[in-house]
Amino acid sequence: LKTIDLGMVHSSAAASLTLYILKSLRDAGELVDSVSPSHLLRHWPPAFKDQGWPTKQVRDAFFSSPTYPRITRPEGVKETISRGVLGGFLAYASKRGDGSLHPFLFGKDASLGADDVEISDDVVILTKEAAEAYLEAQKAQAAAKQAGTATTSGTTIGGTGTSTTPGLDLTYPVPDPGPGAKEGGDGSTEVLQPVAGGENIPQFTWNGVIPHQKWMNFYMKVLGKHVNTGNLKLTVKVTIQPAAGLTTPQVEEIQASLRELGLEGDS
């Protein structure tokens, strides 16, 4: 328990006793709208030092642990995480089923708005040191894999196949040969093709309108798990239509930004 002396209360101090108590809690730092990212770093739970702190547990800590102040707005936690990522103090990532982290937002090029922060058990934040260690481990793993590929001899199997089911135009990647592959008499490998309409669905296509506040969540929940499959194509149509219209310099600025990103398209 902690005692806060309210002092001599008079009628001009606040409109009501409740508001005066809330003001006293704010003055004592017990009630805040949001906290700085450095507060999270100073009070980081040891159990999540290396593998990441789930954003859901970050939020719950402000409502359960006396180490943290009470937050008046749920958005305050998201704002803190966003400022930490933009400032380079934190990394923001989504955990995949195999234990890897993707997407992984960290560093000077990371961009994460408060509305894009997802509160979930599968989304974590990491300290700067843990993020750098993870990236170094990924680089070492990729270098080891590349070195192993360079020393492997034989025929590389890959490419694309097609299926002609009536009414569908399906294209899918041909997988590397597994236990079901057969070796021909000439030493070549025959890859068993997936059958359209069987257990595996060759292709999934969706189109719709995504609110700009949910773009990051769309990427993490829908696309993030499939970016390494080798055959993910994303087509974007953007409409910017302010009530007053766009000026010529604004349009030129947008076009210049697209060119800097190396993106081609019609505008």
Side-chain angles (χ1 to χ4, degrees), residues 53-61 118-121 123:
W53 189 2
T55 55
K56 183 178 179 182
Q57 298 198 32
V58 175
R59 180 201 62 187
D60 294 347
E118 180 183 354
I119 303 299
S120 168
D121 286 324
V123 179

Side-chain angles (χ1 to χ4, degrees), residues 108-132:
K108 61 180 181 179
D109 296 329
S111 178
L112 180 70
D115 293 335
D116 297 326
V117 175
E118 180 183 354
I119 303 299
S120 168
D121 286 324
D122 297 326
V123 179
V124 299
I125 57 174
L126 298 91
T127 63
K128 178 180 179 180
E129 294 75 17
E132 290 175 344

Side-chain angles (χ1 to χ4, degrees), residues 183-194:
E183 183 173 348
D186 59 352
S188 62
T189 303
E190 177 187 357
V191 181
L192 300 182
Q193 303 290 338

Side-chain angles (χ1 to χ4, degrees), residues 2-4 21-32 69:
K2 181 178 180 180
T3 301
I4 299 178
I21 292 173
L22 292 175
K23 178 180 180 300
S24 300
L25 290 172
R26 288 183 180 276
D27 293 340
E30 296 294 331
L31 193 65
V32 297

Side-chain angles (χ1 to χ4, degrees), residues 66-248:
T67 305
Y68 306 92
R70 302 287 83 80
I71 286 189
T72 58
R73 302 180 303 111
E75 296 82 6
V77 178
K78 295 184 177 183
E79 293 170 359
T80 298
I81 294 174
S82 174
R83 291 200 305 270
V85 173
L86 296 177
F89 307 111
L90 301 174
Y92 177 87
S94 178
K95 276 192 173 182
R96 303 177 67 181
D98 58 0
S100 62
L101 301 176
H102 188 85
F104 191 87
L105 304 181
F106 177 66
K108 61 180 181 179
D109 296 329
S111 178
L112 180 70
D115 293 335
D116 297 326
V117 175
E118 180 183 354
I119 303 299
S120 168
D121 286 324
D122 297 326
V123 179
V124 299
I125 57 174
L126 298 91
T127 63
K128 178 180 179 180
E129 294 75 17
E132 290 175 344
Y134 175 80
L135 292 177
E136 288 298 324
Q138 291 295 105
K139 289 181 181 179
Q141 185 178 5
K145 184 178 181 180
Q146 185 176 4
T149 303
T151 57
T152 301
S153 60
T155 304
T156 301
I157 303 299
T160 59
T162 58
S163 177
T164 54
T165 300
L168 294 177
D169 181 11
L170 305 175
T171 302
Y172 50 85
V174 177
D176 289 337
K182 297 184 297 182
E183 183 173 348
D186 59 352
S188 62
T189 303
E190 177 187 357
V191 181
L192 300 182
Q193 303 290 338
V195 179
E199 294 183 359
N200 294 331
I201 300 174
Q203 177 176 299
F204 177 86
T205 303
W206 177 89
N207 65 78
V209 178
I210 304 173
H212 66 273
Q213 304 95 330
K214 295 185 178 181
W215 172 252
M216 183 61 70
N217 291 339
F218 172 80
Y219 180 85
M220 297 184 67
K221 280 190 166 293
V222 181
L223 305 182
K225 300 175 182 179
H226 303 282
V227 295
N228 293 326
T229 60
N231 199 13
L232 173 65
K233 181 179 180 181
L234 182 64
T235 302
V236 179
K237 179 180 180 181
V238 178
T239 302
I240 304 174
Q241 192 175 10
L246 292 168
T247 64
T248 300

Side-chain angles (χ1 to χ4, degrees), residues 41 44 62 188 247 254 267:
L41 296 174
W44 200 281
F62 286 95
S188 62
T247 64
I254 295 173
S267 61

